[in-house]
């Protein structure tokens, strides 16, 4: 299981939100490229970037920062989400050196777009399913749909999606642990690998994910915990690599 540091971009700075609220943000750095360097030097093997402005505006806003990070670390897998709602945007990020693009809102509102994107950019597409009480939220979490997470996940099984990033909005940024039971249920209900997101606080939360014994859970995204120092990236990755049940992936 991979420990994946999150760099959330708002107005060019690295921030963290609580439960997705733009008005409740904490700025951790005004130099996201240097922040990326910190996590890379700390031993991470993938980065998770989010264009928060883009998620609300429906188009990339912090693209220059994303490109700068991708150029600095050309061999590091980078996944980017937020405002990705066209093939042109995906092409832009792929050409910039990004490994994976995360389709969220568009995947809910136009599921057929996912198949189209997977066909045009095979192996590059991740679907982001952000949920509140089991229902998928869209538009920077401003809207909650009537679509169930697991039902939608199954819809994408034949499309060639590389992974699903599952976030429980109620947990995100609160550092109270992630929703392990639902993450496990999702991983077991679909053949698509799942990346857990939202609420990770310390090594105990990583251990809980591993103890779920769901091989389909291939990664855990962590943000506020690594910025506030309650989780060490290198220590957490080493723990995952040596965990006896699932082991290194």
């Amino acid at each position: 299981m991979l420990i994946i540091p999150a760099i959330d971009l708002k107005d060019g700075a690295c921030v963290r939100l609580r439960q997705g609220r733009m008005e409740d943000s904490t700025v951790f750095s005004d130099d996201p490229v240097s922040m990326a360097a910190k996590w890379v030097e700390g031993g991470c093997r993938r980065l998770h970037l989010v264009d928060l402005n883009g998620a609300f505006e429906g188009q990339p806003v912090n693209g220059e920062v994303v490109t700068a990070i991708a150029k600095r670390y050309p061999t590091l897998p980078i996944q980017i989400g937020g405002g990705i709602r066209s093939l042109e945007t995906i092409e832009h990020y792929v050409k910039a050196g990004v490994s994976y693009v995360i389709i969220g809102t568009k995947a809910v509102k136009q599921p057929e777009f996912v198949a189209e994107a997977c066909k045009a950019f095979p192996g590059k597409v991740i679907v982001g399913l952000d949920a509140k009480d089991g229902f998928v939220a869209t538009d920077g979490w401003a809207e909650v749909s009537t679509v169930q997470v697991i039902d939608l996940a199954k819809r994408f099984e034949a499309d060639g999606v590389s992974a699903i990033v599952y976030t429980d909005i109620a947990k995100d940024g609160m550092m109270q642990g992630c929703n392990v039971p639902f993450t496990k249920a999702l991983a077991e209900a679909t053949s698509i690998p799942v990346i857990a997101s939202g609420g990770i606080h310390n090594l105990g939360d990583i251990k809980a994910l591993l103890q779920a014994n769901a091989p389909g859970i291939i990664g855990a995204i962590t943000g506020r915990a690594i910025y506030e120092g309650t989780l060490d990236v290198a220590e957490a990755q080493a723990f995952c690599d040596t965990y006896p049940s699932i082991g290194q992936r």
Side-chain angles (χ1 to χ4, degrees):
M1 190 172 82
L2 291 176
I3 300 300
I4 308 173
I7 297 179
D8 288 3
L9 303 166
K10 179 186 177 187
D11 305 328
C14 174
V15 308
R16 291 302 293 169
L17 308 185
R18 293 183 188 274
Q19 298 180 327
R21 297 190 296 265
M22 287 287 270
E23 69 276 10
D24 191 358
S25 65
T26 304
V27 177
F28 284 103
S29 173
D30 59 4
D31 187 351
V33 179
S34 293
M35 188 57 71
K38 178 179 180 179
W39 305 134
V40 172
E41 289 162 10
C44 80
R45 300 202 288 264
R46 185 185 290 201
L47 277 178
H48 176 78
L49 309 183
V50 181
D51 184 345
L52 292 172
N53 301 102
F56 282 89
E57 296 190 23
Q59 60 186 7
V61 175
N62 292 284
E64 289 183 9
V65 176
V66 176
T67 299
I69 293 173
K71 283 185 176 179
R72 181 159 177 177
Y73 299 103
T75 62
L76 181 74
I78 294 172
Q79 57 193 48
I80 171 69
I84 298 174
R85 300 178 194 175
S86 71
L87 294 179
E88 290 75 19
T89 298
I90 296 174
E91 183 178 23
H92 167 78
Y93 278 131
V94 169
K95 285 183 175 179
V98 172
S99 304
Y100 305 99
V101 294
I102 303 169
I103 303 173
T105 294
K106 187 93 169 183
V108 182
K109 296 186 173 181
Q110 292 179 249
E112 64 277 7
F113 176 72
V114 173
E116 187 182 354
C118 287
K119 187 175 181 180
F121 304 96
K124 298 290 186 181
V125 176
I126 291 175
V127 169
L129 299 181
D130 308 325
K132 193 169 185 179
D133 301 321
F135 292 94
V136 180
T138 63
D139 299 285
W141 301 352
E143 305 291 334
V144 179
S145 72
T146 58
V147 181
Q148 294 269 5
V149 170
I150 289 178
D151 291 342
L152 187 58
K154 289 180 177 179
R155 165 77 167 76
F156 300 124
E157 282 188 317
D159 292 337
V161 171
S162 294
I164 289 171
V165 172
Y166 165 68
T167 306
D168 186 322
I169 295 171
K171 298 282 189 179
D172 190 67
M174 304 307 287
M175 301 218 303
Q176 297 172 352
C178 62
N179 189 336
V180 175
F182 194 93
T183 305
K184 175 181 171 70
L186 178 60
E188 292 178 343
T190 176
S191 59
I192 305 171
V194 173
I195 298 172
S197 174
I200 288 173
H201 177 228
N202 55 31
L203 198 59
D205 296 325
I206 300 300
K207 187 176 182 180
L209 273 173
L210 290 167
Q211 288 177 332
N213 200 27
I217 303 174
I218 63 163
I221 294 168
T222 175
R224 187 173 289 272
I226 58 175
Y227 290 96
E228 296 190 355
T230 60
L231 182 72
D232 180 87
V233 172
E235 181 186 15
Q237 187 61 67
F239 183 85
C240 292
D241 289 348
T242 57
Y243 189 76
S245 180
I246 297 177
Q248 185 174 357
R249 291 195 169 270

